[in-house]
Amino acid sequence: MNKNVLVIGSGGREHAIVYQLSRSAQVEHIYCAPGNAGIAQLAECVAIKDTEVAQLISFAQTHKIDLCVVGPEAALAAGVADAFREAGIPVFGHSKAATQIEASKEFAKELMAKYNVPTAAYRSFADYEEAMQYVRSRNTYPTVLKYDGLAAGKGVVIAQDEPEAEQALRDMLVGEAFGKGRVVIEDYLEGPEFSFMAFVHHHKVYPMPLSQDHKRVFDGDKGPNTGGMGAYTPLPFISKEEEEWAQEHILQAVADAMVKEGKPLTGVLYGGLMKTKDGIKVIEFNARFGDPETEVVLPLMESDAYTVFHAIATGEELESIKWRNQATVGVVMASCGYPGAYQKGIEITGTEDFDGLILHMGTAVKDGRLVTNGGRVLMCIAHGTDVRQAQEKVYRELEKIHCSNLFYRKDIAHWAL
Ligand code: AMP
Ligand code: GLY
């Protein structure tokens, strides 16, 4: 009881974490650094950026924080979790070394090769000429080119022909756009993609319900990639056997491998997986909760969130995590123009009439009114006994929200129906 929690981050994912912690009887006070307008309804927002390590530690010490939960990968990659652990404050989030599973594509690929985790065959290069020579010698398209580092989701190019591959490799290895680095070139895989997240403390792996993101901006999966336009759970196209197989051969295998490599996980392992004709394979790993998948998955957690996050942070005994057996569909309302340029500061009304859960991704309050403050603005969520019912409800309720500069996809969860 009377626990103080600090959540680090400012998006819909952190709103979901704060929302879930706010339902725990053990939690007295939640702080969020830096938070957003939606989070501010449940937590006290603190004006510290997610990578300002020294300020975060000093805040936690003066406010007697019992548990810190780190959301964004940038904060993990900046060593926020290491600093909390050194200061003796329980922290949910991987060390900087373990965050390599997301931050370095090459590290992740080498780990999977070493421990027989299924993924696309690959080679990695630092030199543009050598990379181009390899692409020419393979002469197979599409071919997948991945910049080796955190590139905010922009580091992957699926080249359809040689000129496209050449341009992408120039950008990644010769130009200034990414900084000097390496490129992983891998085989192109086909099949439906889905997200499998788990809470992990060292060898212990607790799976979350499967979910699916919608990365393209327009209906029918058209247009450029985004951070995700909506998500839903559960997935009808993955059987229980396939799920168990992926848990054992992918998530558990990687958790064990990371311990062996001296980089144990203490947070979320996110598998971006694909069901190919040759079985389930890994497209990527993230070292954090997925966004917007977390917004549909986490509200289904029945177990006490403080107990779960604290046990993952410290390794204390946790029997299992219980989940409500319900379908959830979440639709992102994004600013017109996103993922390109967009305006901010446009008023949003009607959110209080929405029957369901609204998690804020990019909002602010200006003169007492809720306004847009990002590309992805709101994640609107409804539950149902099945995906269709949840989908019908969320789209019905969305009509109550008004803003002259927001749009949303009309077909979230279409893969399930
Ligand atoms: P990543 O950042 O690695 O998740 O890649 C972004 C997106 O590119 C993925 O969600 C896939 O849609 C696509 N992609 C990545 N790797 C491959 C691959 N080997 N084959 C096919 N598509 C891929
Ligand atoms: N929804 C994809 C991600 O969080 O990376």
Side-chain angles (χ1 to χ4, degrees):
M1 313 302 120
N2 311 326
K3 301 297 186 193
N4 294 323
V5 186
L6 171 64
V7 177
I8 296 175
S10 63
R13 163 180 62 196
E14 287 77 20
H15 195 174
I17 296 167
V18 167
Y19 169 75
Q20 204 60 24
L21 283 165
S22 74
R23 298 162 76 187
S24 165
Q26 295 183 71
V27 173
E28 164 104 4
H29 203 91
I30 307 175
Y31 299 94
C32 189
N36 67 33
I39 292 173
Q41 293 164 15
L42 301 169
E44 184 176 335
C45 293
V46 189
I48 307 176
K49 287 205 199 90
D50 61 5
T51 50
E52 290 176 338
V53 184
Q55 289 94 318
L56 290 167
I57 294 285
S58 139
F59 178 88
Q61 284 167 336
T62 48
H63 292 79
K64 302 206 169 21
I65 294 300
D66 298 290
L67 172 69
C68 173
V69 181
V70 186
E73 62 275 24
L76 296 169
V80 167
D82 303 82
F84 273 81
R85 234 163 257 132
E86 255 165 58
I89 303 165
V91 58
F92 178 98
H94 309 297
S95 66
K96 187 173 172 173
T99 303
Q100 267 189 294
I101 191 83
E102 168 169 3
S104 166
K105 303 271 186 204
E106 192 176 15
F107 173 83
K109 291 300 271 189
E110 278 177 4
L111 190 88
M112 287 188 270
K114 186 168 169 186
Y115 293 91
N116 284 318
V117 176
T119 188
Y122 80 104
R123 291 268 307 271
S124 97
F125 298 90
D127 180 70
Y128 166 76
E129 290 300 337
E130 281 175 31
M132 230 13 250
Q133 211 169 4
Y134 176 68
V135 167
R136 283 197 196 98
S137 70
R138 273 177 89 236
N139 198 26
T140 312
Y141 297 95
T143 194
V144 181
L145 313 168
K146 299 186 173 183
Y147 179 74
D148 190 39
L150 291 177
K154 299 192 180 74
V156 177
V157 171
I158 305 202
Q160 302 296 337
D161 52 30
E162 189 175 312
E164 258 185 59
E166 190 171 349
Q167 183 59 50
L169 286 174
R170 267 191 199 287
D171 291 346
M172 292 176 186
L173 291 174
V174 185
E176 300 289 307
F178 290 92
K180 292 282 164 283
R182 299 179 66 85
V183 166
V184 168
I185 302 180
E186 66 177 38
D187 289 353
Y188 178 76
L189 303 177
E190 277 178 286
E193 286 181 67
F194 62 101
S195 308
F196 196 172
M197 299 188 281
F199 289 97
V200 181
H201 179 91
H202 300 198
H203 288 290
K204 289 186 256 181
V205 174
Y206 305 90
M208 301 184 215
L210 300 179
S211 57
Q212 196 183 36
D213 188 6
H214 298 61
K215 291 202 167 137
R216 303 300 191 103
V217 71
F218 300 128
D219 287 10
D221 300 310
K222 303 252 164 42
N225 262 322
T226 69
M229 295 298 293
Y232 70 95
T233 183
L235 307 184
F237 57 89
I238 304 293
S239 67
K240 197 71 205 154
E241 290 72 36
E242 287 170 321
E243 184 175 349
E244 282 166 9
W245 186 91
Q247 184 185 333
E248 183 186 339
H249 293 92
I250 296 176
L251 299 179
Q252 185 69 54
V254 165
D256 294 344
M258 291 296 277
V259 175
K260 280 219 183 88
E261 296 295 314
K263 299 176 168 78
L265 297 171
T266 38
V268 172
L269 177 61
Y270 167 121
L273 310 184
M274 189 185 273
K275 181 175 166 168
T276 75
K277 62 179 185 344
D278 305 317
I280 295 175
K281 298 196 178 184
V282 176
I283 294 291
E284 63 160 347
F285 284 115
N286 291 322
R288 49 165 177 87
F289 282 109
D291 199 353
E293 293 94 320
T294 303
E295 289 93 310
V296 294
V297 168
L298 216 46
L300 293 175
M301 196 163 84
E302 255 175 5
S303 303
D304 180 273
Y306 183 85
T307 303
V308 170
F309 283 107
H310 195 267
I312 297 301
T314 58
E316 68 200 15
E317 222 30 69
L318 180 66
E319 226 173 82
S320 65
I321 300 176
K322 294 202 173 56
W323 301 92
R324 260 193 295 152
N325 188 15
Q326 257 192 321
T328 309
V329 176
V331 178
V332 170
M333 299 186 86
S335 294
C336 296
Y338 175 80
Y342 53 82
Q343 267 183 291
K344 290 185 186 179
I346 316 295
E347 184 173 8
I348 310 163
T349 58
T351 51
E352 59 286 350
D353 300 323
F354 185 89
D355 180 17
L357 178 64
I358 296 183
L359 297 171
H360 293 222
M361 305 179 99
T363 59
V365 173
K366 204 169 80 186
D367 305 325
R369 288 186 302 208
L370 186 68
V371 298
T372 62
N373 194 39
R376 293 187 298 165
V377 175
L378 297 175
M379 174 74 163
C380 301
I381 295 147
H383 298 295
T385 50
D386 59 24
V387 172
R388 183 175 294 282
Q389 202 190 53
Q391 188 203 47
E392 279 169 9
K393 178 163 180 201
V394 77
Y395 281 114
R396 200 168 57 237
E397 292 300 317
L398 266 170
E399 290 180 13
K400 297 176 180 168
I401 299 178
H402 302 286
C403 176
S404 62
N405 202 47
L406 288 179
F407 76 99
Y408 54 88
R409 271 182 66 162
K410 310 284 190 300
D411 64 346
I412 298 303
H414 71 89
W415 277 92
L417 303 170

